[in-house]
Amino acid sequence: MTGSTISRTSASRTSVGRAELLSRTAKATDALSLFAEASAHLRRLMPYDAAVWRVTDPVTGMMTAPIRAENLDGGGCAVYWESELFTENVNLFRDLARAPVPVAGLRQTTGDLPARSTLYETFMRPRGFHDELRAVLRVGGHPQGHISLFRAEGRPAFDDAETQLIASVITPLAKQLRSFAEPDPQPQPDGPHGPGLLLFDATGTLLSFNDDALAYLDTLPEGPTVPSPQGVQVPSFIQATAMKARAVAEERDRGQTRARVRVRNRAGRWLVCHASRLREADGVPGASAVVIEPAKTSEIVPLIVDAYELTDREAEVTQYIARGLPTGEIAAQLHLSPHTVRDHIKAVFEKAGVSSRGELVGKLFTEHYAPLAEKSMTRVRTD
């Protein structure tokens, strides 16, 4: 068999494997099952020894839940994000999110000199990893997830063909992740009502917490956690959020002014986790506080709008509908003709799969924010 024949056979195998991967992941009903299917098929096409698949907040780009870790424990999470947020300058996720092709291998980028990366020195080499291929699952300019694939010492570095394979599945996987932000059609019971509070030191170690925080933690999706002196298993993304607050306070993170992520709990309710750096009495930077609480409608609208692929104008019209404004008033607010507003409403109905304003408001908001939606629906008009 000639080299060209081998090459064609390999390309055909990759094409078939890619098609199967996308076919199986298209049937996934949640992020964890999507990650499991994608990883199982991807390993057959380009073997790797460990991986982390993460959902990200499409607005802030920060890691949230759920997360799937393979052959890795949560113990190295602080080390990984310490490098990413404070010392690393190679293949940063925030830079990849804006890159023309949001995929990069460590050895490819450094010219096979991985010691240029602090991640390699502090996280990878101590764990026996030789290379990392990372990608941002991006669609419409918004990051929906991150992938980190690791190969152990003795394996070859990730090559161009493997980079291209990952690049070819980024958009369909990102679209699938985005769709999971659509509202759950089944009403879910309310969770804790008071804000949950957790305090972390500069290393990401949990210092203290309140009872509401524990109640919220019990509702979060399964995923990697880190132990604490108090015996609480802290989800990795919450620890990373606390560390992000420190990075923002120290102006380490270009373009980020706050540490904030949205996450859907196991009951389908949206929560928001936001963190800030506190100061001691003498003004010296102190602990980072993470607050967990139910997300307000304004926090979730951008995610739902993204999930239904609404345009900016359609999103504006939708929010005016939720406020109960009739077509004429919406037209006046947006300086459009009533006919144009009706066209936008029709497009929104088609994308959301509804046939009336009341149904639209109910589908987008009732399941998560019943009091607000009920108030809005009393004002909804049919014109």
Side-chain angles (χ1 to χ4, degrees):
M1 185 178 292
T2 66
S4 61
T5 302
I6 293 174
S7 178
R8 286 196 298 271
T9 301
S10 176
S12 176
R13 171 177 166 273
T14 298
S15 178
V16 171
R18 175 186 178 279
E20 184 179 2
L21 182 156
L22 294 179
S23 174
R24 295 295 294 270
T25 55
K27 301 173 184 176
T29 57
D30 57 64
L32 285 179
S33 60
L34 181 148
F35 291 158
E37 286 285 358
S39 189
H41 289 282
L42 196 57
R43 278 181 184 271
R44 301 183 193 127
L45 301 174
M46 45 178 292
Y48 47 88
D49 300 288
V52 186
W53 299 73
R54 313 174 188 90
V55 171
T56 57
D57 185 307
V59 177
T60 64
M62 291 173 54
M63 173 176 70
T64 180
I67 302 167
R68 176 182 172 85
E70 302 172 1
N71 297 332
L72 285 168
D73 57 36
C77 181
V79 177
Y80 190 98
W81 291 105
E82 177 79 21
S83 170
E84 175 76 14
L85 295 172
F86 298 100
T87 60
E88 185 60 88
N89 56 13
V90 178
N91 296 342
L92 293 173
F93 281 116
R94 69 181 184 222
D95 294 335
L96 280 180
R98 297 188 292 267
V101 180
V103 187
L106 175 60
R107 293 205 169 242
Q108 288 176 316
T109 302
T110 61
D112 207 27
L113 296 173
R116 293 178 177 176
S117 163
T118 57
L119 180 72
Y120 177 79
E121 292 294 326
T122 61
F123 178 84
M124 292 174 58
R125 188 160 69 173
R127 290 166 176 77
F129 294 134
H130 172 75
D131 196 15
E132 179 196 32
L133 183 66
R134 57 170 58 180
V136 175
L137 301 178
R138 182 184 69 191
V139 60
H142 300 292
Q144 304 291 333
H146 292 164
I147 305 174
S148 298
L149 308 178
F150 299 96
R151 277 188 176 155
E153 294 287 348
R155 284 190 180 272
F158 292 102
D159 61 27
D160 289 340
E162 291 166 330
T163 300
Q164 291 169 9
L165 172 60
I166 295 295
S168 74
V169 301
I170 281 175
T171 299
L173 292 182
K175 285 183 177 179
Q176 186 74 352
L177 283 177
R178 181 175 65 180
S179 73
F180 298 144
E182 294 180 6
D184 190 328
Q186 299 300 320
Q188 302 296 338
D190 288 324
H193 294 289
L197 177 64
L198 304 99
L199 296 180
F200 295 84
D201 68 15
T203 68
T205 299
L206 183 65
L207 297 175
S208 61
F209 52 89
N210 65 4
D211 290 341
D212 283 309
L214 293 182
Y216 281 116
L217 294 184
D218 285 342
T219 73
L220 294 178
E222 293 183 10
T225 60
V226 293
S228 68
Q230 302 87 349
V232 176
Q233 292 296 316
V234 179
S236 297
F237 83 92
I238 289 183
Q239 183 192 54
T241 302
M243 296 178 71
K244 182 77 165 187
R246 175 185 152 209
V248 170
E250 295 178 8
E251 299 183 347
R252 301 276 189 147
D253 202 348
R254 302 188 306 271
Q256 284 284 356
T257 59
R258 56 182 181 172
R260 197 176 195 89
V261 297
R262 281 144 286 218
V263 60
R264 208 170 191 174
N265 67 15
R266 293 195 304 274
R269 292 275 174 169
W270 284 101
L271 306 174
V272 61
C273 304
H274 50 99
S276 58
R277 189 83 180 271
L278 306 180
R279 290 192 178 275
E280 305 292 350
D282 58 2
V284 174
S288 292
V290 177
V291 176
I292 309 174
E293 57 190 347
K296 298 177 182 177
T297 303
S298 59
E299 295 276 1
I300 302 309
V301 166
L303 305 186
I304 296 175
V305 164
D306 197 35
Y308 284 113
E309 301 183 49
L310 303 184
T311 66
D312 290 343
R313 184 63 84 189
E314 289 165 357
E316 288 180 310
V317 170
T318 299
Q319 293 191 57
Y320 281 123
I321 290 174
R323 289 168 53 186
L325 270 65
T327 299
E329 289 187 31
I330 296 175
Q333 290 285 340
L334 299 177
H335 305 290
L336 300 173
S337 71
H339 177 74
T340 299
V341 170
R342 291 190 188 94
D343 284 344
H344 286 311
I345 293 174
K346 180 180 178 182
V348 171
F349 284 2
E350 290 177 351
K351 291 180 178 180
V354 300
S355 58
S356 70
R357 291 180 176 223
E359 190 179 356
L360 175 67
V361 172
K363 185 166 188 177
L364 295 185
F365 305 113
T366 299
E367 291 84 2
H368 303 287
Y369 310 102
L372 175 64
E374 287 166 4
K375 182 179 178 181
S376 296
M377 288 181 71
T378 63
R379 300 176 57 201
V380 167
R381 305 185 189 182
T382 58
D383 61 328

